[in-house]
Structures are given as C-alpha cells and as structure tokens.
Amino acid sequence: MVRLRVEELFLNDDRELKGYEEDPDDRTAIVSLRELKAARKQSKDRHILVRVRGAELGRVTLLSPERMRVGRSQDSEMWLSDDGVSRRHATLVREGDHYMVEDEGSANGTFVGGVKITRHELKDGDVIQFGPTAVFRYSLSDESQEALLRQLYDASVTDALTGAHNREHFDTQLRAEMSYARRHNTDISLVIFDADHFKKVNDTYGHQVGDAVLVEIAKVVRATVRSEDVFARYGGEEFALVLRGIDIEGAGAVADRLRERIAALEIPTEHGPIRVTVSAGCASLTTSGEKTPEGLISAADKRLYGAKHAGRNRVKTSD
C-alpha cells in the first residue's frame, strides 16, 4: 500500500513506478497500485476536473451535461474563491462527446496548456487555468478511478482525530452552499457548537480523555445529520454544521437534538464514566442581516457565546 499524489493517477500504464512497493509495512496508504491498475480496465466515460494547484488540491468535479459557469459569482455552478478569478470567468459546455471551455471575457484570462484561449476543445490530460492560481487537469476517467480520486481528496479534507471535515473544507463548502441556496431560492443554516468546560476535562483527566470526548461528540453528530450536511471541526473543541434547505427553526431543532444526545453520552475513562454537554448558536441566510459567509459565522458565533453566558447546555437561535 502506498500514498499517491494526484498526478500519479494519470500516469501511463507502461510507466515504471520505482520504489512504491518496496516497504510492505507502510501503513499510511490510501489506495494500492493493484486497485489503481484494476480501475483502468473499465470504460472511461467520466469527464472530470481535478484540482492540481491552489486551494482544495485534489478536489474532483464531475462535469455536467449542461452548461457549467465558472467564476466567483455566487450563482456559478463551479464556484472558485481564488483571487484573480472573475465573477463570470468561463463556461464549460458539452458538444457531442467532448467538452469545450470558453472564456467569458475574464480579466486574467483562461489558459489551456499555458496558452491563453477564448474557446478550446478539451482533450484528455489538458491542464486548464482560470486566472493566476486555479489550475485543473481535465481527464476522461472510469468509475473506479473517479472513486479513488475522491478517496484521496476526502482524506486531505478530513480532521484526523474526529473524522469531521477540516476548517479549510468548511470555509469553502459554506460559500458553495450559500451559492447553491441563492441559485435555488432556498434557505441555509449554520450551527456552531462546542463542548462546555472542555478545559476542565483536559486539566482533570488529561488530553487523551479530551480527545476521546471530541471523538464521541463527532460520532453522535455523524449518526444524526444528513449526508448532504457539512460537518466540520471548526477549531479545538468547536464544531460547525452547515444545513442545506433548513431554516432557523429547523436548525434550532437539529442543534437541540444533538445537544440532548451528547448530554446522554457516558464516556469511559480510567476514573469512571464522564458526561459532557454542548452549547450551540444558530444562524440562517434568510434571517441574517449580513448575507455573507462571514456574516453567518459572526451571527452563529455570537449566539454560541450567548448560550454560554446564559448557563451552557443550551441552544440559541436569536440575539
């Protein structure tokens, strides 16, 4: 088993991969070469973009059969936060069995293979650049290879301790989910919560028990929320939850359900079982004064601290 870079998944079959299988005791692997080679026996019918430079390195985007707008605009189907990307930067469109990339008069240009283009038919392996830093590789892939690429990316955006997403992924997904909500005229809510008196847990029982508490909290959350919800470790003992299509009342109900289930936990330690509680603050797009990711975070964070000051082990959905 070996850890592979994204670029290695695009090597030709006849290229020798020296040194990758020399150590049978390497346990840091995500995929094996055997699995990778088996995947190539399938039909390559997936048109994908894999990010190879900039934020979210390794992220996989499956191209839509419909027109996909690329840019910083909140209504873009492929939203990019990179500096130098225009609001309406480019468009990806399918024509027959191939895809075209078209620049939409962007300020910093669209490039394929280092050459500035206005319209270009994509070929397998083409490297596309939107502005200075957003770089992707276009690939024709089969189902198994796409799954392996997604597995690599998932590992890169996951908090190693809790299995929740990491902060970088949360920041990107919150913006993407807000863009989705605007395009579809739906609501979106944010819940920020953390463990009450967590410092006391660490000081009394040690950091190993503190880590166990965070792991158990994360298990409860994953067992409670939907697959489309974004669950992330926001920092330290603080977590965040992005709820697609849920209004402020619904967010409060979800947060309170989590609060009750976490309060019911008995976490074993060498000193006997302990219990923990959480406090939470909620905000939604439709009720937020500042309808930006920063505004939503600020509102939820303010209400979290309001819940702390009101006695902890509670949820606040308003100031």
Side-chain angles (χ1 to χ4, degrees):
M1 297 291 283
V2 296
R3 181 177 296 277
L4 297 179
R5 295 177 299 138
V6 170
E7 291 88 342
E8 298 295 349
L9 297 179
F10 296 96
L11 295 176
N12 295 326
D13 289 342
D14 58 353
R15 177 169 170 179
E16 185 178 3
L17 299 176
K18 293 182 178 179
Y20 278 123
E21 294 182 318
E22 290 180 355
D23 184 1
D25 295 324
D26 183 356
R27 303 302 181 190
T28 64
I30 296 172
V31 297
S32 70
L33 294 179
R34 189 175 297 105
E35 290 172 324
L36 187 57
K37 290 177 180 177
R40 290 187 177 136
K41 297 177 182 178
Q42 301 179 14
S43 173
K44 292 189 174 184
D45 57 0
R46 305 295 181 96
H47 299 259
I48 63 174
L49 292 182
V50 181
R51 182 127 194 189
V52 295
R53 189 187 305 165
E56 296 194 291
L57 184 68
R59 185 183 181 96
V60 179
T61 300
L62 180 64
L63 297 187
S64 166
E66 302 175 354
R67 293 179 71 88
M68 289 182 65
R69 294 166 294 181
V70 181
R72 296 188 71 183
S73 172
Q74 293 288 340
D75 61 358
S76 298
E77 285 78 22
M78 186 173 170
W79 180 83
L80 299 176
S81 62
D82 304 66
D83 291 336
V85 172
S86 298
R87 286 179 56 79
R88 299 189 182 279
H89 196 103
T91 301
L92 293 159
V93 58
R94 183 161 189 166
E95 294 185 358
D97 60 354
H98 60 267
Y99 277 83
M100 306 293 297
V101 56
E102 303 172 355
D103 187 78
E104 297 290 347
S106 64
N108 293 301
T110 300
F111 300 81
V112 177
V115 178
K116 190 173 184 179
I117 59 95
T118 55
R119 193 170 191 269
H120 180 85
E121 179 182 336
L122 293 174
K123 301 292 193 302
D124 189 17
D126 275 348
V127 175
I128 313 166
Q129 180 174 333
F130 305 106
T133 61
V135 184
F136 300 81
R137 184 187 297 273
Y138 168 74
S139 177
L140 285 171
S141 176
D142 58 53
E143 184 178 359
S144 294
Q145 191 178 44
E146 181 191 352
L148 289 170
L149 285 165
R150 292 188 184 278
Q151 186 179 353
L152 282 167
Y153 174 69
D154 287 345
S156 74
V157 298
T158 299
D159 175 61
L161 175 65
T162 64
H165 286 118
N166 59 28
R167 174 67 181 272
E168 181 182 5
H169 182 76
F170 164 80
D171 289 338
T172 302
Q173 287 302 110
L174 177 59
R175 290 183 180 276
E177 289 296 331
M178 291 184 74
S179 175
Y180 178 93
R182 289 190 180 95
R183 291 199 308 270
H184 295 271
N185 196 30
T186 60
D187 209 350
I188 180 177
S189 290
L190 171 65
V191 179
I192 297 180
F193 61 98
D194 71 6
D196 297 323
H197 301 297
F198 188 70
K199 184 178 185 302
K200 184 178 180 180
V201 172
N202 278 333
D203 291 345
T204 303
Y205 301 102
H207 288 277
Q208 188 171 2
V209 171
D211 287 349
V213 167
L214 298 180
V215 169
E216 293 303 317
I217 288 174
K219 286 180 181 178
V220 170
V221 178
R222 286 197 299 272
T224 303
V225 301
R226 305 168 301 174
S227 60
E228 63 265 35
D229 297 326
V230 180
F231 171 47
R233 187 178 180 186
Y234 193 69
E237 71 273 23
E238 200 167 37
F239 295 92
L241 190 59
V242 182
L243 304 171
R244 178 188 290 186
I246 301 293
D247 61 15
I248 192 66
E249 290 80 11
V254 171
D256 206 50
R257 189 179 309 123
L258 290 173
R259 182 192 61 78
E260 291 177 348
R261 292 180 179 180
I262 291 168
L265 284 175
E266 286 193 351
I267 301 169
T269 75
E270 61 182 9
H271 305 288
I274 64 171
R275 292 179 179 271
V276 294
T277 61
V278 297
S279 299
C282 308
S284 72
L285 180 62
T286 56
T287 61
S288 177
E290 185 183 347
K291 300 184 185 300
T292 63
E294 295 76 16
L296 212 62
I297 292 170
S298 178
D301 208 40
K302 181 180 178 181
R303 290 164 187 167
L304 166 61
Y305 283 100
K308 294 284 190 183
H309 292 150
R312 296 182 171 82
N313 191 22
R314 63 194 64 212
V315 174
K316 282 186 69 70
T317 59
S318 60
D319 297 333

